[in-house]
Amino acid sequence: MSDIGRLRAARDSVLLWFAPARVQDEGTTPDYRFSLANERTFLAWIRTALALIGGGFAVDQFLTDHLTHWARLVLSLGLLAAGVACTLRAVNHWVRCERAMRLGTNLPVSRFPAALAVVVAVLAIAMVTVVLAGWAG
Amino acid sequence: MPPPSGVPPVETDRDPGLQPERTRLAWRRTTLTCLVTAILALRQAVRSGASALSVAAVGLAVLAFLAFLLVAHLRIQRLGAARPAAMPPPTALAVAACMLALAVFGAAVVW
């Protein structure tokens, strides 16, 4: 897909968030079980977002012995931002999947899970390093 | 177990895959997770002292959780139908708004 096509697709899906009734005008209503499965996937992503947000609070509250104020601030704001990204992506992906099912097209593919996995792995390694360094020092 | 291919599934009122039940439980799990996060947020505000900001932040966290509870409750009621309709998009947006409120509130107190 070209960059312009990608931009247009992104604009269309953001417009869909704010004119949600349009989703239900397009195509045919899929089997309700598929819609419910899509809803559960959405909720699973919301729980992931909640875990990231809760992790952001936990870093600030429970790593006080190991981290300086600024390190805690950066880590917890990073986790909170990841939670926000996860939430927005959950809504976007849910709308796009629902639309694809109504129109009978392929489900959208996404790099987001891989990107999130990398971010979480890096954060986890950083925290383990910091805590171990705190014990050693 | 899915029916053998080529055989149309039997139409009954009860879904053999219990999809509405599973979706209800998914809403319950998510509500519980939201409660835990809201409690962590409350703890955050309590630790940072009783300033006007932290009182406002506590109110916001409680409101975000109660809003989520309400959205989940309404959705769970709708899932009781024999053939539940798909989740309305405003429900998804309301859930996202609750998450954003929790995160923004958290960022304000952490800061």
Side-chain angles (χ1 to χ4, degrees):
Chain A
M1 200 195 294
S2 70
D3 282 348
I4 293 176
R6 213 172 276 144
L7 276 179
R8 194 168 292 147
R11 188 202 61 194
D12 282 352
S13 54
V14 170
L15 283 179
L16 267 183
W17 296 12
F18 294 101
R22 259 181 51 210
V23 178
Q24 284 158 347
D25 293 340
E26 294 176 316
T28 52
T29 305
D31 186 329
Y32 74 96
R33 285 171 289 190
F34 298 149
S35 292
L36 291 185
N38 192 19
E39 182 176 340
R40 288 196 296 276
T41 308
F42 167 74
L43 289 172
W45 276 107
I46 289 295
R47 283 195 296 279
T48 308
L50 278 169
L52 288 168
I53 293 172
F57 296 149
V59 165
D60 193 50
Q61 293 179 32
F62 297 111
L63 284 184
T64 46
D65 293 343
H66 301 291
L67 294 180
T68 63
H69 174 70
W70 287 105
R72 263 188 293 139
L73 193 65
V74 168
L75 269 180
S76 63
L77 287 185
L79 281 167
L80 290 173
V84 168
C86 216
T87 302
L88 296 179
R89 191 266 179 182
V91 176
N92 187 38
H93 196 71
W94 174 77
V95 167
R96 288 176 64 198
C97 285
E98 200 69 27
R99 193 182 181 197
M101 288 194 293
R102 295 191 75 93
L103 297 177
T105 54
N106 288 338
L107 290 180
V109 291
S110 161
R111 284 191 203 93
F112 187 87
L116 182 67
V118 170
V119 168
V120 169
V122 167
L123 277 175
I125 290 171
M127 282 192 220
V128 167
T129 310
V130 162
V131 171
L132 285 180
W135 270 336
Chain B
M1 210 169 77
S5 58
V7 180
V10 183
E11 291 289 326
T12 58
D13 276 350
R14 193 186 71 83
D15 169 17
L18 292 178
Q19 307 276 344
E21 182 80 33
R22 283 155 64 185
T23 312
R24 259 202 300 278
L25 288 171
W27 276 101
R28 295 243 187 264
R29 280 199 297 279
T30 312
T31 311
L32 274 175
T33 314
C34 192
L35 177 65
V36 171
T37 311
I39 288 174
L40 268 178
L42 283 181
R43 195 173 176 277
Q44 184 91 40
V46 169
R47 278 174 77 253
S48 68
S51 66
L53 176 70
S54 65
V55 171
V58 168
L60 195 57
V62 170
L63 266 184
F65 171 69
L66 288 179
F68 188 90
L69 191 64
L70 180 70
V71 169
H73 179 71
L74 292 176
R75 182 63 191 145
I76 284 172
Q77 279 188 326
R78 295 290 301 276
L79 284 171
R83 290 191 170 275
M87 175 169 66
T91 303
L93 287 178
V95 168
C98 294
M99 301 300 106
L100 291 185
L102 268 177
V104 168
F105 144 78
V109 177
V110 169
W111 192 260

